[in-house]
Amino acid sequence: MSNIEIRLITFGNIAEFIPAKKITFDGIQDTDGLKLHLETNYPQLKTMKYKMAMDRQMVQSNLLLTHKATVAIMPPFSGG
């Protein structure tokens, strides 16, 4: 397996406990794996509803992570 580097950006109350940063992973290949990794390292994320986007596209199902992707973690939003 090869290392994958992503840029993680966070919004709202999630940004209070997960700082925006570059992360390099070995063994995490998809968004489900990233979600599990984040929820393991930041247990408070497990109790929250949140959305994930990769390269400005909302993640609706498991996607392969791409090297140098930008992944956003954000609380649900509403508006009109």
Side-chain angles (χ1 to χ4, degrees):
M1 291 193 188
S2 60
N3 288 345
I4 293 177
E5 179 185 299
I6 64 164
R7 180 173 167 240
L8 183 69
I9 54 177
T10 54
F11 296 91
N13 54 349
I14 296 170
E16 294 173 10
F17 61 91
I18 302 178
K21 57 186 171 181
K22 287 187 178 177
I23 306 174
T24 302
F25 298 111
D26 185 20
I28 296 176
Q29 298 180 342
D30 53 35
T31 53
D32 283 355
L34 176 60
K35 181 178 177 180
L36 181 63
H37 173 81
L38 291 172
E39 289 180 356
T40 299
N41 287 285
Y42 303 98
Q44 57 270 56
L45 193 59
K46 278 187 188 179
T47 64
M48 304 176 74
K49 289 187 177 189
Y50 63 92
K51 301 279 187 184
M52 184 181 288
M54 184 169 66
D55 294 331
R56 299 184 181 195
Q57 299 294 318
M58 295 304 294
V59 174
Q60 304 293 337
S61 60
N62 191 27
L63 298 174
L64 287 177
L65 292 172
T66 56
H67 187 61
K68 303 250 181 187
T70 297
V71 177
I73 308 293
M74 63 203 105
F77 50 87
S78 61

